[in-house]
Amino acid sequence: MRFRLAGVGRRIAAAGLIVASFASLALSAPRAASAQGAADPAPTYTINPGDELEVYVWGEERLQRVLRVLPDGTVAFPLVGQIHVQGMLPQAVERMISERLKPQYRGEVPNVTVSVRNPAGLQFSVMGKVRSPGSFTPGRYINVIDAVSLAGGPAEFANLDNVSIIRRQGDHDVTLRVRLSSVFKGNAAGTIDKGTAVPLLPGDIVIVP
């Protein structure tokens, strides 16, 4: 009996080591992903007029709203009033609402979450050698591949290895270069990555030479 119990003990110890190993991997994975993201951050979407926001104050059903951002960049929220949200990140709006709700509570303010439910304010233009150039408001997040597709796809003789995205940053424009030839020439398997599927921001201009 002593030998059988010892064998069980060894199996339990081994199982413990396996569980610990998986736990270690689970804890290290987010740090690795975070480090990778820090090296090459994706553009962050800021709120625009026309966007639809979903606001939750947890535990307060009376303070759950879906709001459309007005043309002047503001929304009205109960107990908070009119607030300007254009150009802000959702996390910044969360902090603003929480701060303005403080006088309504004796203790801590419940958690506030703000998300962009429908980015209808996301507008961009596609120019150059595409079949249907123009301005677009897709009502959803979109990348440069989607944008060229919405513009009817590349026209004949388009140079898809030198597509430009012109983006306003502060008081100056920056130009991003992307290569899309492998995507639109039928051999896209394994070629769509963060280097080709660049997310677009409001006001971006995509040029296909």
Side-chain angles (χ1 to χ4, degrees), residues 124-127 130 132-136 151:
F124 62 90
S125 300
V126 183
M127 303 170 59
V130 290
S132 301
S135 296
F136 302 88

Side-chain angles (χ1 to χ4, degrees), residues 62-185:
R62 64 195 176 109
L63 296 179
Q64 297 180 358
R65 294 286 190 280
V66 174
L67 308 171
R68 186 171 294 279
V69 183
L70 299 177
D72 64 356
T74 67
V75 294
F77 193 73
L79 305 180
V80 170
Q82 203 85 3
I83 55 176
H84 190 273
V85 298
Q86 181 178 356
M88 298 181 67
L89 299 173
Q91 297 90 331
V93 180
E94 291 171 357
R95 291 191 293 270
M96 183 191 303
I97 293 175
S98 294
E99 190 65 28
R100 295 198 181 188
L101 285 175
K102 278 184 178 180
Q104 309 296 327
Y105 294 88
R106 291 185 178 179
E108 284 193 26
V109 177
N111 287 335
V112 177
T113 60
V114 176
S115 58
V116 181
R117 177 174 174 174
N118 178 12
L122 174 55
Q123 298 180 345
F124 62 90
S125 300
V126 183
M127 303 170 59
K129 293 181 181 176
V130 290
R131 300 186 187 280
S132 301
S135 296
F136 302 88
T137 305
R140 59 186 175 89
Y141 295 105
I142 201 167
N143 61 50
V144 66
I145 300 171
D146 298 324
V148 174
S149 298
L150 280 177
E156 191 175 7
F157 306 122
N159 181 4
L160 293 171
D161 282 329
N162 197 27
V163 175
S164 301
I165 302 172
I166 299 176
R167 175 169 297 164
R168 191 71 176 173
Q169 287 189 349
D171 58 354
H172 65 282
D173 293 331
V174 298
T175 301
L176 310 176
R177 304 285 184 185
V178 290
R179 300 168 63 93
L180 302 180
S181 59
S182 61
V183 176
F184 285 98
K185 290 183 178 178

Side-chain angles (χ1 to χ4, degrees), residues 20-39:
S21 298
F22 276 112
S24 176
L25 286 172
L27 289 171
S28 62
R31 289 195 293 268
S34 176
Q36 182 178 3

